[in-house]
Amino acid sequence: MLKKVIPYLLLVIALGTGGILMAMSGKDAVSMAAREKDTLLAADTVNASFQGVGGKVSSINVKEEQQVKKGDVLMTLDPVDKDLEIEKLKSQIAQMDVQIAQAKDSLDIQADKITESEKQAQLDIQAAQTAESKVKKGARAEDIQQQQLAIASAKQSAENALTAVETAKQNVGIAKKAVTTRQKALELARENYTRIKALKDSGISTQAELDKAQNDLDSAEIAFETAQDQVDIAKQSVITASNQADIARNAVAQQQTALEKMLAGATAEEREQARVQTEKAKEALTQTSQSREEVENGEYNVNLLTKQKEALQVQLKALQLQRDRTVLKSPVDGKVTRVVPKLGENVSAGATVIMIETDDLYYDLYVGEEAVAKFLAGSKVNSRIVALNRDVEGEVEYVTSAPQYTNMRMSRDKGQSDISSFQVRVRVPRTEGLLPGMTVEVQTDESTD
């Protein structure tokens, strides 16, 4: 009899339990989950890396769990290679300064010589015109005396021009000796580089020694090229001085001829020649004007050297910036959670070497579309830290559509259509005791009717 009653009793109990649950008006587990969300507290992590440079780690200044401030030195790379490149560029800039100074000095000398030539050409024109006038009018005693003074002046100019030629030739000899010396230095630098490279390939020498040998070789090549340029400049000076000497000698001959004609008297042919001499003197002045144009062209070359120097200075600034970037500093305040490389390891540019947990805490909520209106960006959200049994107030940073897997699908009692979820990120100020990973309870008050 009892066995027959038991099934009916179970049925009554089941119906009674269902009725009680129906009377709870949404206090079942699903409804409770809709009103209260549990999530985990998290913190932003910054991956620190060397910007644009890589190399061997020479020092590690922090360890895991260490608190750091923004600007603290975290790690450094071996700067030897960058230092060598910087010294090489500084040497090239210094050599460029010497070339610019020499080119300017040469232009100044040429400009002075041209100025003197112009003055002499003016005097020659005046003398030729005077001679032509005297040829036409006949010579007077005072004209003869004046012509003799002109000859003496022309001779003095010729002597000065010859002295300038000799000086220029001596400069050529000095420049050639400098080329020989620089060539020997270049050969020695090449031999040294070949020797160091062989030692480096054999594992005896170091990369730093090979870089130094390469730097010495580059410097020797530049010095050799500079010495060759000085030879060309000196040769050009000889040519210029020789031209001036020729002009001066011609002037002496012209003045002497003019005096002889004054003494002998002028013929029709001589008068024509006097006119021609005047034209030649004017032509000499035109030639000096052309020489001045050559000086202006030389100034363009100086400007080109200056631009090349500026380019080297830009490269130097870039290298110095890379040198500064071999020292890695903390970008934020926070706690070191991981140090990736070991001392002496090589790291590549942009690779994460240190991970820092920032002081910014947050948690993410996934709420239904009916409750998302309660979470606006900038609004305050009350939450509870379960481990500390303490309430904290956060601020909504943003609200965005959540991934598809968080949506509710056919989950309600009446089989309603799918409900979309939204991700809400809430920032929480860091206070004593708060740690990433703690459980956070948030009242969402989502309806499940």
Side-chain angles (χ1 to χ4, degrees):
M1 182 67 180
L2 181 61
K3 291 182 180 180
K4 295 180 178 180
V5 174
I6 288 175
Y8 294 101
L9 290 175
L10 293 176
L11 178 60
V12 171
I13 292 172
L15 293 174
T17 302
I20 292 172
L21 292 177
M22 292 291 289
M24 289 176 65
S25 299
K27 293 183 180 179
D28 55 280
V30 175
S31 299
M32 291 295 292
R35 289 196 295 270
E36 182 178 275
K37 300 288 186 178
D38 286 350
T39 183
L40 295 178
L41 201 60
D44 286 329
T45 299
V46 174
N47 298 324
S49 62
F50 290 96
Q51 182 181 355
V53 293
K56 184 175 69 175
V57 177
S58 61
S59 69
I60 300 176
N61 301 78
V62 295
K63 58 185 179 180
E64 283 83 355
E65 296 298 318
Q66 178 177 336
Q67 293 290 331
V68 294
K69 295 292 184 182
K70 183 177 181 180
D72 289 349
V73 176
L74 304 176
M75 185 180 296
T76 59
L77 299 179
D78 187 355
V80 173
D81 293 342
K82 298 300 179 185
D83 290 339
L84 289 175
E85 292 180 15
I86 289 173
E87 290 301 320
K88 177 181 176 181
L89 268 181
K90 286 182 177 179
S91 176
Q92 292 177 352
I93 291 173
Q95 292 174 355
M96 191 69 71
D97 287 333
V98 173
Q99 293 181 22
I100 292 173
Q102 290 176 342
K104 287 183 177 179
D105 291 341
S106 177
L107 288 177
D108 291 340
I109 293 172
Q110 291 183 32
D112 292 340
K113 290 180 179 179
I114 291 172
T115 300
E116 293 298 325
S117 298
E118 287 176 343
K119 292 180 180 179
Q120 187 60 47
Q122 292 287 354
L123 294 175
D124 292 343
I125 291 174
Q126 293 177 3
Q129 290 174 341
T130 300
E132 183 180 4
S133 177
K134 290 178 179 179
V135 166
K136 293 179 179 179
K137 296 181 179 179
R140 297 178 301 174
E142 56 269 24
D143 293 336
I144 293 174
Q145 184 178 3
Q146 185 177 3
Q147 186 62 32
Q148 290 172 343
L149 293 174
I151 291 173
S153 176
K155 288 180 178 180
Q156 183 62 45
S157 297
E159 292 177 0
N160 293 339
L162 290 175
T163 301
V165 171
E166 293 301 322
T167 301
K169 289 180 178 179
Q170 292 175 1
N171 291 336
V172 171
I174 294 171
K176 288 182 177 179
K177 291 179 180 179
V179 169
T180 302
T181 302
R182 298 297 185 185
Q183 186 174 12
K184 291 180 179 179
L186 176 58
E187 292 173 354
L188 289 174
R190 284 175 178 166
E191 293 176 359
N192 184 57
Y193 175 78
T194 303
R195 180 178 63 83
I196 295 297
K197 188 176 186 302
L199 293 175
K200 174 65 172 59
D201 295 337
S202 301
I204 300 175
S205 180
T206 64
Q207 182 64 40
E209 291 175 335
L210 181 61
D211 292 339
K212 185 177 182 302
Q214 180 65 55
N215 185 48
D216 294 341
L217 177 59
D218 294 339
S219 299
E221 289 177 347
I222 294 174
F224 177 67
E225 294 174 357
T226 301
Q228 288 180 321
D229 293 339
Q230 294 307 310
V231 170
D232 295 336
I233 292 173
K235 288 181 178 179
Q236 185 62 40
S237 298
V238 171
I239 294 173
T240 302
S242 297
N243 291 336
Q244 299 302 321
D246 291 340
I247 293 173
R249 283 194 295 267
N250 290 335
V252 172
Q254 291 172 1
Q255 298 297 340
Q256 187 66 42
T257 301
L259 177 61
E260 292 173 358
K261 290 181 179 179
M262 290 174 64
L263 295 174
T267 63
E269 182 179 356
E270 291 173 342
R271 292 178 180 178
E272 178 61 22
Q273 290 177 351
R275 186 190 66 78
V276 172
Q277 291 300 324
T278 300
E279 296 299 326
K280 287 183 178 180
K282 293 179 180 179
E283 181 64 24
L285 182 61
T286 302
Q287 291 177 356
T288 58
S289 299
Q290 294 174 352
S291 299
R292 188 170 294 280
E293 292 178 358
E294 294 176 359
V295 171
E296 293 177 354
N297 292 334
E299 291 176 351
Y300 295 146
N301 294 331
V302 172
N303 292 334
L304 178 60
L305 289 174
T306 302
K307 293 297 183 183
Q308 292 175 351
K309 174 188 173 182
E310 292 175 355
L312 291 178
Q313 289 174 330
V314 172
Q315 294 180 26
L316 178 60
K317 289 181 180 179
L319 279 177
Q320 289 172 335
L321 178 60
Q322 293 180 3
R323 172 64 173 82
D324 294 339
R325 288 176 176 173
T326 59
V327 178
L328 179 62
K329 296 182 179 180
S330 177
V332 293
D333 296 343
K335 180 180 70 175
V336 176
T337 58
R338 185 183 178 192
V339 179
V340 179
K342 301 295 186 296
L343 191 65
E345 288 185 358
N346 287 324
V347 297
S348 58
T352 299
V353 294
I354 291 180
M355 300 176 68
I356 301 174
E357 181 184 279
T358 68
D359 291 336
D360 294 331
L361 298 178
Y362 68 91
Y363 58 82
D364 289 336
L365 291 175
Y366 294 92
V367 300
E369 55 187 306
E370 295 179 353
V372 72
K374 300 177 182 178
F375 298 92
L376 301 177
S379 63
K380 302 298 182 181
V381 177
N382 291 321
S383 54
R384 186 169 188 80
I385 307 300
V386 176
L388 302 179
N389 193 24
R390 188 174 72 193
D391 292 339
V392 295
E393 186 179 60
E395 182 177 325
V396 177
E397 182 177 5
Y398 64 80
V399 180
T400 185
S401 178
Q404 289 294 323
Y405 64 82
T406 63
N407 294 344
M408 297 179 61
R409 298 186 178 277
M410 306 300 290
S411 59
R412 298 199 175 188
D413 297 337
K414 297 179 181 180
Q416 294 178 348
S417 59
D418 297 354
I419 300 176
S420 298
S421 294
F422 292 84
Q423 179 184 356
V424 179
R425 174 156 295 185
V426 180
R427 288 286 175 182
V428 177
R430 183 182 284 271
T431 57
E432 184 179 359
L434 283 183
L435 294 174
M438 288 184 170
T439 302
V440 183
E441 291 182 350
V442 184
Q443 296 293 330
T444 60
D445 295 329
E446 290 183 292
S447 175
T448 59
D449 292 340

